[in-house]
Amino acid sequence: MTRSKKPSPSHSHGHSSSAERRDYAGAERREPRPDRGSAPRGAQGVWLYGLHPSAAAWVNSERRIHRLLVTESGRAAMEPAMAEAKAKGLNRPGITRVERADLDRLLPPGAVHQGIALDVAPLPEVGIEDICAASESDSSALVVVLDQVTDPHNVGAILRSAAAFGAKAVLVTERHAPETTGVLAKSASGALEVVPLVRVTNLARALGELQEAGFWSVGLAESGAQTLAQCNLTGRTALVMGAEGSGLRRLTMERCDVIARLPTQGPVGSLNVSNAAAVALYEVARLR
């Protein structure tokens, strides 16, 4: 899918410096070790960390990268991605060797960084109009719509499932949705680079635009009169899911074409929203 080239936030403007262009992916330098054990300087953009998010970003031609910080083991793990980026002719900065303790201080407490941290600019924004346009030639296009799901771990996990089952995008609300941080990217395990995370101002209006583009909107709620398996999901489909606890808002439910449920039962009758999304995406794939 071609991403629209809307302007990135102000800190992502500009081009790589000539020094950066000369310091091509694979060149290596060591971050000066300041006295008193202070960590490397903060990010110009956003820190991604861990092997899968970092490797996926490194080989993504649409992702602009400021710096790569690695430990010795992190550098070895990134070798395949660095080779792929070089083969693609991507402009990448040189890598900076650091100690694990530097990354521990630089990143959020408990971050599982695996010796890798990547300072990146935000991806170009994608609008709902881009998703609709990209679906014109795909009669079975699938998207996931999240109604005020705020946990970055859940949104990241849903992105990962969306990538695994071929969804074209995950839509979230501009407000009441997590920022695109390293936590979300880590949970997405690289899927952030391949499945657009589309932010919309008005979810009800966005559902209307999807319906105009031929999408059948299926809201998931325990109150659904039929199971997801009983729905006709062969055409363009939007799976609409709400936050845990509150579920789908009333106006969102009213804008859906049908409300369906998963056939859960027993003493624990509901699923975490990311688990429910994975099950629903699998069910759509199975029915097709």
Side-chain angles (χ1 to χ4, degrees), residues 41-222:
R41 67 186 187 277
Q44 295 181 54
V46 176
W47 285 118
L48 303 184
Y49 52 83
L51 175 58
H52 293 300
S54 300
W58 194 259
V59 301
N60 181 6
S61 61
E62 296 182 21
R63 177 72 83 170
R64 192 158 69 85
I65 297 173
H66 303 303
R67 276 189 303 161
L68 170 62
L69 308 183
V70 291
T71 62
E72 185 175 350
S73 62
R75 186 193 188 287
M78 283 290 290
E79 284 283 1
M82 290 192 290
E84 183 179 342
K86 187 172 183 179
K88 288 181 174 180
L90 299 182
N91 178 32
R92 292 294 180 248
I95 62 176
T96 301
R97 289 283 298 279
V98 295
E99 301 300 325
R100 179 169 291 273
D102 293 328
L103 297 183
D104 290 340
R105 286 189 293 266
L106 189 68
L107 299 172
V112 183
H113 53 70
Q114 300 170 284
I116 305 166
L118 205 60
D119 180 1
V120 302
L123 286 166
E125 293 181 7
V126 176
I128 189 170
E129 66 278 5
D130 302 307
I131 303 305
C132 293
S135 302
E136 287 180 357
S137 59
D138 185 354
S139 60
S140 60
L142 174 65
V143 299
V144 179
V145 181
L146 303 180
D147 187 8
Q148 297 191 336
V149 177
T150 58
D151 187 330
H153 297 91
N154 281 334
V155 175
I158 291 167
L159 276 166
R160 185 175 184 177
S161 296
F165 289 105
K168 286 192 174 293
V170 173
L171 276 65
V172 296
T173 50
E174 190 70 52
R175 299 177 61 188
H176 306 294
E179 295 297 318
T180 310
T181 62
V183 173
L184 188 153
K186 178 69 173 174
S187 298
S189 194
L192 184 62
E193 308 299 321
V194 294
V195 177
L197 185 63
V198 181
R199 297 181 184 272
V200 299
T201 304
N202 185 303
L203 197 64
R205 187 183 305 129
L207 286 172
E209 292 182 52
L210 287 172
Q211 288 163 336
E212 289 176 8
F215 281 84
W216 181 253
S217 297
V218 182
L220 288 180
E222 292 179 25

Side-chain angles (χ1 to χ4, degrees), residues 233-282:
L233 305 174
T234 56
R236 297 187 186 101
T237 302
L239 290 175
V240 189
M241 313 193 69
E244 290 182 64
S246 58
L248 295 174
R249 289 174 294 168
R250 179 186 58 80
L251 184 57
T252 303
M253 293 184 74
E254 290 175 356
R255 288 301 178 97
C256 290
D257 294 302
V258 65
I259 302 298
R261 57 183 167 81
L262 296 176
T264 54
Q265 56 185 324
V268 181
S270 62
L271 295 173
N272 168 285
V273 65
S274 63
N275 292 331
V279 172
L281 286 162
Y282 167 76

Side-chain angles (χ1 to χ4, degrees), residues 6-23:
K6 297 182 181 178
S8 296
S10 59
H11 59 256
S12 65
H13 283 275
H15 300 284
S16 303
S17 67
S18 59
E20 185 182 64
R21 288 195 293 270
R22 287 194 301 269
D23 195 9

